[in-house]
Amino acid sequence: MLNNQVKSLRRANGITQEALAKELGVSRSTVAHMERGGEISGSLLLKVANYFDKDPRDIFFVDGVRKTTQGGRQHE
């Protein structure tokens, strides 16, 4: 699961899932999947970031997401 801020950004901007989907060129169910933390493509990640005019890390890599090093150790 990928923690993200898509739903809160969408709601703060008064945008429906359907309208965001149309802007991004995806289905409404893809937007719902993304909001639930489902995996998405890198290109969709960038489209979302560009749409909201934000750095992708500010949307998709929020506090609390664990990062794993090459050795497999996890860091907060």
Side-chain angles (χ1 to χ4, degrees), residues 23-26 42-52:
E23 289 292 325
L24 299 175
V26 298
S43 62
L44 181 53
L45 181 145
L46 293 175
K47 283 182 183 181
V48 171
N50 286 335
Y51 179 81
F52 288 111

Side-chain angles (χ1 to χ4, degrees), residues 6-35:
V6 176
K7 187 174 187 176
S8 61
L9 284 169
R10 179 180 61 75
R11 286 183 169 177
N13 286 282
I15 302 165
T16 65
Q17 284 183 339
E18 188 172 322
L20 180 58
K22 185 175 181 180
E23 289 292 325
L24 299 175
V26 298
S27 68
R28 189 207 55 78
S29 63
T30 297
V31 171
H33 173 77
M34 177 175 42
E35 288 183 351

